[in-house]
Amino acid sequence: MILVGSLILAFLITLFLVSKIASMLHAKKPDMGRIFLASIVGSIAAAITLIPLGIFLGGIDPNIMLILSIAIVFIVSSMAFKYINVMTWGSAITTNIANIVLSLVALTASVVLNGGSINETVAKMTSVAKENANMVQSVATGDLNAVLPNDSENTDEVNQDASMDQNGNVIAANDEEISLDDDLEPTFKENDLLPAATVRELKAKEKKVYIEPKFRVVSISRIRSAVGKNIRILNTNDTSITGLLRKVKGNNAVIEQHLGGGIATTPVSLAKIRKLEVYR
């Protein structure tokens, strides 16, 4: 955490000093924000410029390739300072040199003050830069195999280590004996043995919601649909009759009632029915 804070402080100091240098070199826009933008844009543009260089000039002498790469990176990054900070070519090159030198000094000071190793830090940064450059170049050339992880490197380690199943039983590697129960029998549910149509019917019945039967109001014009069911009639004179509707004969509803241990059949005129309820 201290190292990160010191690096951020060193970065801000570098921006401040480079901004002052750009101001002394008569840059029209020497503020720190513009300096930071020029540094980022220059770095990205230089990295993008190196991609076609590595693709089309990869077969030349390594020393020439190194000198050419450094020159192109320096020119492209200086161009960013020229157009973003609005200065001459001489001032842009000087500002770019100052930016590189001060950045290296600030980075070195931050690492040393935090007890780190310069060699290890430079080696890590170089390794990361090379990996990113190779990945970008591989994507640009369409060679995706270079950026895909190689799963075969971990195959031997996986085969040599012992693994465990969900129940905590140890499974030995390399075709050794395993402590699993090989005598387990498959289990079946009752529905597994029934025909598919029967299973669907059972599921449909399970989804049905039970509705408690009770007397429900029905239109008098539908009284014939209530034949064979228990009904309750409220007459125009406010008398109520409850019983089994046997039939509808003419303009009368024939109702069967259990009274005093016997059965009574009572015809009721449909014209006198004010309310009809069916028990369902």
Side-chain angles (χ1 to χ4, degrees), residues 50-274:
L50 289 177
I51 295 175
L53 184 67
I55 295 174
F56 298 107
L57 301 179
I60 66 176
D61 185 79
N63 294 326
I64 299 177
M65 184 67 178
L66 178 61
I67 295 173
L68 189 60
S69 300
I70 293 175
I72 291 177
V73 168
F74 188 77
I75 293 172
V76 172
S77 57
S78 298
M79 188 182 300
F81 284 97
K82 171 179 171 54
Y83 291 105
I84 293 178
N85 298 108
V86 189
M87 58 176 65
T88 63
W89 270 109
S91 299
I93 293 174
T94 304
T95 304
N96 192 15
I97 294 174
N99 184 47
I100 295 173
V101 173
L102 290 174
S103 297
L104 292 175
V105 172
L107 176 63
T108 304
S110 299
V111 174
V112 172
L113 291 176
N114 284 276
S117 172
I118 296 295
N119 294 332
E120 293 180 0
T121 303
V122 172
K124 290 181 180 179
M125 293 177 63
T126 304
S127 176
V128 172
K130 288 182 178 179
E131 291 178 0
N132 293 334
N134 292 334
M135 182 178 297
V136 173
Q137 183 174 345
S138 299
V139 173
T141 56
D143 185 12
L144 298 180
N145 292 329
V147 298
L148 292 176
N150 188 4
D151 296 335
S152 61
E153 295 177 358
N154 299 326
T155 302
D156 295 337
E157 296 180 2
V158 174
N159 290 335
Q160 292 175 0
D161 295 335
S163 60
M164 300 183 70
D165 65 359
Q166 296 180 351
N167 297 324
N169 298 318
V170 178
I171 306 176
N174 298 328
D175 297 332
E176 296 178 0
E177 293 183 357
I178 57 177
S179 59
L180 293 176
D181 188 359
D182 295 333
D183 297 331
L184 292 177
E185 296 181 356
T187 57
F188 296 96
K189 296 181 180 179
E190 183 180 354
N191 289 348
D192 296 334
L193 305 176
L194 297 176
T198 305
V199 173
R200 287 195 295 269
E201 291 179 2
L202 292 175
K203 290 183 178 180
K205 291 181 179 179
E206 290 177 357
K207 294 180 180 179
K208 290 183 178 179
V209 180
Y210 174 74
I211 301 177
E212 183 180 358
K214 63 180 181 179
F215 282 103
R216 303 178 188 276
V217 178
V218 176
S219 173
I220 299 174
S221 61
R222 298 180 56 193
I223 190 171
R224 296 183 184 277
S225 63
V227 174
K229 298 179 182 179
N230 289 321
I231 64 172
R232 183 167 59 190
I233 291 176
L234 181 65
N235 288 331
T236 54
N237 56 3
D238 293 332
T239 60
S240 177
I241 300 175
T242 303
L244 179 67
L245 179 62
R246 278 296 181 186
K247 58 183 177 179
V248 177
K249 185 177 180 180
N251 293 325
N252 294 325
V254 181
I255 301 175
E256 182 181 279
Q257 296 178 291
H258 292 272
L259 300 173
I263 299 176
T265 302
T266 306
V268 179
S269 176
L270 298 179
K272 294 183 178 180
I273 299 176
R274 191 175 70 180

